[in-house]
Amino acid sequence: MDYMITTKQLTKKYKSFVAVNNVSLNIRKGSIYGFLGPNGAGKSTTMKMLLGLTAPTKGSFTIDGKQFPNDRLSILREVGSFIESPSFYANLTGKENLDIIRRILGLPKSSVTDALELVGLSEFGGRLAKKYSLGMKQRLGLAGALLGRPPILILDEPTNGLDPSGIHEIRNLIKLLPGLYDCTVLISSHMLSEIELMADDIGILNHGHLLFEGSLEELRQNALQSGFAADHLEDMFLSMVEQDNAARKRRAKL
Amino acid sequence: MRTFAMELRKEKRTGIIPFMLAVGILGAAYAFAFFLVQKDTLFNLPLAPMDVLLTQMYGVIMVLNMFGIIAAACMIYNMEFKGSAVKKMYMLPMSVPVMYFCKFLILTIMLFLAIAFQNLALTKIGLTDLPQGAFEFEAMLAFAGYSFITSMPVLSFMVFVSSRCSNMWAPLGIGVAGFLSGMALAAADHVLFCIHPFVIMLKPAAAMSAQPDMIVVMFSLVETAVFLSFGLWAAKYLRCE
């Protein structure tokens, strides 16, 4: 199997708190990988490690066969990312913000217009980023990630703050991306119902532990075997998390 | 060069460049106004004309420059932290220490321009108001260079502090505390106080002679290099955790 991102026993500890615990992910090239988990499960921390924003305490990972920190610049050139909340220069317009990123990536001028069009921000490109609504800031962040159509996209809850039609629009866009220019997408969310509509493969994380990794079909089979209806994957996800939490409490009591 | 040009683009609408130019123009205007009003009093002082010209107005000009540096350093990093823009920079294929160095360079150039404006005003006053033959161009240049070099430790220190504090009020407070403690220590003769970057900047204002003090110059150069190195080293370690 041709994997674009692989992690091996990836672990991140903050003093005594283990945010990510021995997580081994395998993300297929050209697929959309949904990274699921409740708030505080360690999704963002894992993504931050993949982007070199924080160093792993243990374990390793490769992105397109390259490793941090030796290949930092080469990896970041291939990855479009959007982590936690949109990051932008408040004193610059949307277009100027993207132009800064374009210059760093050495892309042609047309890539800014292209990215603005992709996220539906074309008519607001000249407005100061600080005057954008939350949804528009989110779109600007996404445009920054999509700039130059990178082969790998790491998106942390990109639909946060968007209205239902915005969520639908962005979801459709993300769904189209691998077909559009053969990119690999790692997208996180705490809602299975959302990931279910986009992802080819899924990884479920709870308290830093990877509870499940496989295709959506495998998750459905798993749901049926556990007595859940295959069309109620959300229940299956919640039950998986609850079971893990209960087991955790029992271990803590012992 | 590419990062420097990009940093200049980022400064758009932050007001840093016009602000530092305004500091220079205000300092120049103060020199003209003060000399116009106090000319006779100044020439009655028991000092050489060039010492009068260079040292007697420098106190206020230096305070203006100091607060200019403090505010500009806070502003230059505040725009990175506001909107978490710096986080995006960490995720892009660029060197964060180079970005830091370019910010340092922009502020250095702006301070240089501000000091140039102020010294142009002093040159004009020297040429028109000092007694015939009293104006010495070399002394003027030496003092301009001296005031620039002694201002650099504060600039280097403030850029370092601003780069490490996401809340703009923290470096601003440190700057004000530095100014107040510097004022208290500047008059003391002990050479060890020169470790304090704000004391260094206050030294030419506290002196009665325009002759550069080489010990102060040495301290300035070393401190500028030390704080710059600290900043470049710290910039390697991202603040995202």
Side-chain angles (χ1 to χ4, degrees):
Chain A
M1 192 80 75
D2 196 4
Y3 293 117
M4 193 57 129
I5 303 175
T6 52
T7 73
K8 276 183 194 154
Q9 314 278 301
L10 206 59
T11 303
K12 180 69 190 179
K13 279 184 190 173
Y14 294 101
K15 291 179 184 166
S16 61
F17 172 68
V18 186
V20 177
N21 202 344
N22 290 312
V23 168
S24 298
L25 302 174
N26 298 285
I27 303 172
R28 285 186 295 126
K29 193 176 179 185
S31 70
I32 299 182
Y33 189 101
F35 205 27
L36 265 173
N39 291 332
K43 304 182 297 287
S44 299
T45 309
T46 307
M47 289 178 150
K48 279 184 191 173
M49 283 192 274
L50 295 178
L51 288 163
L53 294 176
T54 184
T57 313
K58 205 186 86 188
S60 64
F61 64 89
T62 59
I63 297 180
D64 200 11
K66 295 163 189 157
Q67 283 186 313
F68 265 102
N70 294 348
D71 305 315
R72 179 184 172 261
L73 293 184
S74 165
I75 290 174
L76 295 180
R77 212 162 273 135
E78 283 184 47
V79 180
S81 56
F82 176 89
I83 296 288
E84 283 175 341
S85 53
S87 312
F88 55 87
Y89 288 99
N91 56 306
L92 301 181
T93 64
K95 211 171 180 177
E96 287 165 350
N97 265 287
L98 294 180
D99 195 58
I100 296 282
I101 303 172
R102 176 190 75 79
R103 282 167 189 275
I104 294 171
L105 295 170
L107 298 168
K109 276 185 180 176
S110 59
S111 56
V112 171
T113 325
D114 179 47
L116 284 169
E117 261 171 32
L118 271 176
V119 299
L121 263 187
S122 296
E123 55 180 313
F124 304 105
R127 190 184 286 185
L128 284 180
K130 67 178 169 191
K131 292 188 176 165
Y132 277 6
S133 66
L134 180 63
M136 284 159 87
K137 283 175 187 165
Q138 202 77 3
R139 282 166 193 261
L140 179 64
L142 206 55
L146 292 172
L147 205 70
R149 306 191 172 203
I152 304 162
L153 277 170
I154 296 181
L155 309 172
D156 189 11
E157 305 191 5
T159 53
N160 262 2
L162 294 178
D163 55 29
S165 78
I167 291 175
H168 183 75
E169 208 178 305
I170 296 298
R171 191 192 292 148
N172 283 344
L173 170 67
I174 292 169
K175 228 168 137 180
L176 283 174
L177 289 174
L180 214 71
Y181 67 98
D182 193 30
C183 69
T184 307
V185 185
L186 169 61
I187 180 168
S188 78
S189 176
H190 49 260
M191 288 162 71
L192 180 61
S193 53
E194 189 180 293
I195 289 293
E196 204 181 344
L197 298 167
M198 296 185 265
D200 304 306
D201 298 323
I202 284 179
I204 298 178
L205 204 65
N206 187 43
H207 287 288
H209 286 274
L210 191 66
L211 302 182
F212 173 86
E213 188 186 42
S215 67
L216 208 58
E217 197 43 48
E218 283 170 329
L219 185 69
R220 283 202 180 97
Q221 293 295 329
N222 221 333
L224 284 170
Q225 278 168 12
S226 313
F228 294 98
D231 52 351
H232 283 91
L233 290 181
E234 189 80 41
D235 294 344
M236 158 90 182
F237 163 59
L238 291 173
S239 141
M240 225 180 219
V241 169
E242 273 166 24
Q243 274 175 21
D244 184 58
N245 287 345
R248 195 172 289 278
K249 271 182 194 162
R250 277 199 300 275
R251 279 200 301 272
K253 273 181 190 168
L254 284 171
Chain B
M1 196 62 202
R2 204 173 60 133
T3 313
F4 183 78
M6 211 172 55
E7 281 305 313
L8 277 179
R9 278 174 189 275
K10 284 197 221 164
E11 309 308 333
K12 204 171 171 183
R13 300 185 197 94
T14 56
I16 293 166
I17 291 169
F19 174 72
M20 283 306 283
L21 289 177
V23 166
I25 292 167
L26 209 64
Y30 166 80
F32 280 128
F34 187 76
F35 211 84
L36 194 75
V37 177
Q38 301 281 347
K39 190 178 174 180
D40 296 332
T41 320
L42 287 172
F43 283 134
N44 284 330
L45 290 172
L47 293 170
M50 274 311 278
D51 286 340
V52 168
L53 178 71
L54 298 176
T55 63
Q56 295 309 298
M57 284 173 286
Y58 186 66
V60 172
I61 291 174
M62 182 276 308
V63 170
L64 263 175
N65 291 348
M66 188 181 279
F67 279 101
I69 292 169
I70 293 169
C74 291
M75 284 152 77
I76 210 163
Y77 260 100
N78 180 51
M79 66 150 189
E80 293 288 348
F81 294 121
K82 208 173 165 187
S84 309
V86 73
K87 209 171 79 185
K88 184 70 197 172
M89 294 297 116
Y90 293 155
M91 292 187 267
L92 289 169
M94 66 171 294
S95 162
V96 181
V98 171
M99 183 179 102
Y100 178 93
F101 184 71
C102 287
K103 286 186 187 297
F104 173 86
L105 210 60
I106 288 172
L107 286 186
T108 303
I109 293 168
M110 292 320 297
L111 174 70
F112 181 83
L113 287 177
I115 290 177
F117 272 127
Q118 293 155 359
N119 282 281
L120 277 174
L122 292 178
T123 308
K124 173 82 177 76
I125 296 167
L127 289 171
T128 54
D129 292 305
L130 286 197
Q132 192 72 34
F135 182 72
E136 295 164 32
F137 194 68
E138 274 176 20
M140 177 80 224
L141 269 182
F143 190 78
Y146 184 48
S147 60
F148 176 69
I149 288 170
T150 52
S151 303
M152 284 306 289
V154 170
L155 188 144
S156 195
F157 172 75
M158 283 311 301
V159 176
F160 170 57
V161 171
S162 301
S163 73
R164 304 316 293 168
C165 306
S166 51
N167 183 346
M168 193 176 81
W169 295 105
L172 202 61
I174 291 170
V176 173
F179 166 68
L180 295 175
S181 56
M183 286 288 275
L185 300 171
D189 252 355
H190 205 298
V191 77
L192 262 182
F193 289 142
C194 286
I195 291 170
H196 192 314
F198 289 80
V199 169
I200 291 268
M201 190 167 175
L202 287 156
K203 278 286 177 195
M208 295 304 275
S209 158
Q211 198 63 35
D213 182 337
M214 288 323 282
I215 292 174
V216 174
V217 170
M218 290 302 287
F219 267 100
S220 301
L221 294 174
V222 170
E223 282 180 31
T224 306
V226 166
F227 290 126
L228 177 62
S229 309
F230 276 166
L232 292 170
W233 173 78
K236 274 190 198 167
Y237 300 94
L238 313 182
R239 319 182 57 262
C240 242
E241 295 201 34

